[in-house]
Amino acid sequence: MTTSNASHDKPAMDPALLAKLTGGLGDRGRVAKICSSFGEIYSEFFPDVIKSETGLDVTVNYLGCEIGYKNHLIEDLSANVTLVDATLRNWSQNITLACGNGFVITLMEHLLGATADTIEEPAERMLSIIELDLAVMVFDKIAKVLRSAVNAPGGFEPSLSAPHAHNDMRARPQEDRPDEFAAAINMSIALAGIVSEFSLIVPQTALLKTKVTPPKPKRQASSNSAEWTEQLGDQVRRSHVTLEAKIRLQDLTLRTISKLMVGDVIPFRDHGDVRVEVSANSKELYVCEFGRSGENYMVRVKDTMNSDDELIRHLMN
């Protein structure tokens, strides 16, 4: 007669049941109600935050929530978003914030002087380096509203990672540490008719112990708008841009071009000072003349195509 080890035969507890028993998974209706409370707060207060910082009017609406494993919720987000990993001491160490790239791109265009009638629906693309700098500020404001709403003990500030694209590799949960149940709180945000979305993906362990409290309204004048615009202008001016120089060559017949060999020389079209057109991002910036300094070839700026502000807007397109 053989005996078996009862502890080996005992089936593992269902993860959902274990999470319910330990406060990591709540009733769907209760979780949805908590998420709705967050949605109401962001709808009411986040437009004021953006208005006070930029002078721009946005509209925020709660779209509902999704419930499931945290990493699955992140994977289900649109590819056209940028993410930030966040922690808030005494509340949660595993928060993820997501913001649609379209909002950041549109906000950047407005802050650099574009008007609503000239802004088109942004293409679905990753954010540029300069736009990621702006995204840092946007995520900071999203996190500040979260901090005020949950009123975590100690009054600590949220800690945010650097923004990264949705398709960047993310660390998966360790095999001996199952993924957490979470909720994705989804909201739309509209600026000058361009509608995008942002989301908070929060473990239910934090949501279920939270009493959402509306922050005290702090109506401020839009004096910070000029500060943001100046800061963005400085970021643009300090950014590295790849320049291209174009020189007109002498016209040749197709017969001559087809017979060019290695070592053949094509003369410049201009005689004397050679005109060079310098561009970046396919935008013409300067008229230069071609020359040489010691052993290095170079160009000397003779004229600009546009004003300083117009050059910045060109480079951002």
Side-chain angles (χ1 to χ4, degrees):
M1 180 177 178
T2 60
T3 60
S4 61
N5 189 324
S7 63
H8 289 174
D9 295 340
K10 185 178 181 180
M13 182 177 290
D14 177 71
L17 176 58
L18 178 61
K20 284 185 177 181
L21 294 174
T22 56
L25 178 61
D27 174 79
R28 180 173 292 270
R30 181 185 174 194
V31 174
K33 184 176 180 180
I34 296 172
C35 292
S36 177
S37 297
F38 277 103
E40 291 175 3
I41 284 177
Y42 274 93
S43 297
E44 181 177 356
F45 291 95
F46 197 57
D48 288 344
V49 172
I50 298 297
K51 179 74 172 181
S52 68
E53 295 291 343
T54 68
L56 299 172
D57 293 309
V58 301
T59 302
V60 174
N61 288 304
Y62 176 57
L63 299 177
C65 68
E66 300 289 336
I67 296 172
Y69 285 112
K70 185 170 185 288
N71 276 282
H72 292 174
L73 294 173
I74 295 173
E75 290 168 359
D76 289 341
L77 292 170
S78 164
N80 192 38
V81 299
T82 296
L83 305 178
V84 155
D85 299 310
T87 64
L88 180 56
R89 188 171 175 181
N90 292 338
W91 193 66
S92 177
Q93 301 296 305
N94 191 23
I95 310 162
T96 298
L97 308 178
C99 184
N101 295 342
F103 174 68
V104 179
I105 294 169
T106 304
L107 180 60
M108 174 69 80
E109 292 192 37
H110 274 280
L111 293 176
L112 291 177
T115 56
D117 58 331
T118 63
I119 295 178
E120 300 179 351
E121 188 75 31
E124 293 193 2
R125 62 171 176 82
M126 295 174 60
L127 298 182
S128 68
I129 293 176
I130 302 171
E131 289 163 347
L132 284 172
D133 287 340
L134 176 58
V136 171
M137 292 184 270
V138 172
F139 281 115
D140 177 69
K141 303 310 173 188
I142 295 174
K144 288 294 178 59
V145 174
L146 173 66
R147 171 188 175 275
S148 298
V150 302
N151 196 24
F156 296 100
E157 294 294 327
S159 176
L160 307 180
S161 72
H164 56 275
H166 180 271
N167 58 5
D168 283 357
M169 292 297 294
R170 297 180 54 82
R172 301 295 299 179
Q174 300 175 5
E175 292 185 4
D176 60 348
R177 185 180 179 184
D179 197 1
E180 292 186 88
F181 287 97
I185 306 167
N186 302 317
M187 283 153 288
S188 68
I189 183 166
L191 172 59
I194 305 298
V195 181
S196 188
E197 296 182 10
F198 69 96
S199 302
L200 292 81
I201 300 92
V202 182
Q204 291 192 31
T205 49
L207 290 177
L208 293 171
K209 65 183 181 182
T210 299
K211 181 179 180 181
V212 182
T213 305
K216 296 180 180 180
K218 293 183 179 181
R219 284 274 181 187
Q220 300 177 13
S222 59
S223 58
N224 290 339
S225 177
E227 181 180 340
W228 270 46
T229 303
E230 182 180 353
Q231 184 175 351
L232 288 172
D234 288 341
Q235 290 171 346
V236 172
R237 290 176 176 88
R238 287 187 280 105
S239 299
H240 293 281
V241 177
T242 300
L243 299 177
E244 298 176 349
K246 182 174 66 177
I247 300 175
R248 293 288 298 272
L249 301 178
Q250 188 178 84
D251 294 341
L252 300 176
T253 65
L254 287 175
R255 181 184 300 276
T256 302
I257 293 173
S258 66
K259 294 181 178 180
L260 288 174
M261 303 292 289
V262 175
D264 288 346
V265 175
I266 304 175
F268 293 141
R269 179 177 181 177
D270 298 328
H271 299 285
D273 293 338
V274 178
R275 177 187 172 98
V276 181
E277 294 177 353
V278 174
S279 63
N281 294 354
S282 301
K283 302 294 183 180
E284 293 183 349
L285 305 179
Y286 301 105
V287 175
C288 303
E289 61 183 12
F290 181 77
R292 186 167 179 170
S293 177
E295 297 182 354
N296 299 318
Y297 291 100
M298 51 72 153
V299 294
R300 178 181 290 109
V301 176
K302 296 184 65 178
D303 196 9
T304 59
M305 296 291 192
N306 299 285
S307 68
D308 182 55
D309 289 339
E310 288 171 330
L311 289 178
I312 290 175
R313 294 192 191 105
H314 282 326
L315 291 172
M316 291 309 303
N317 289 339

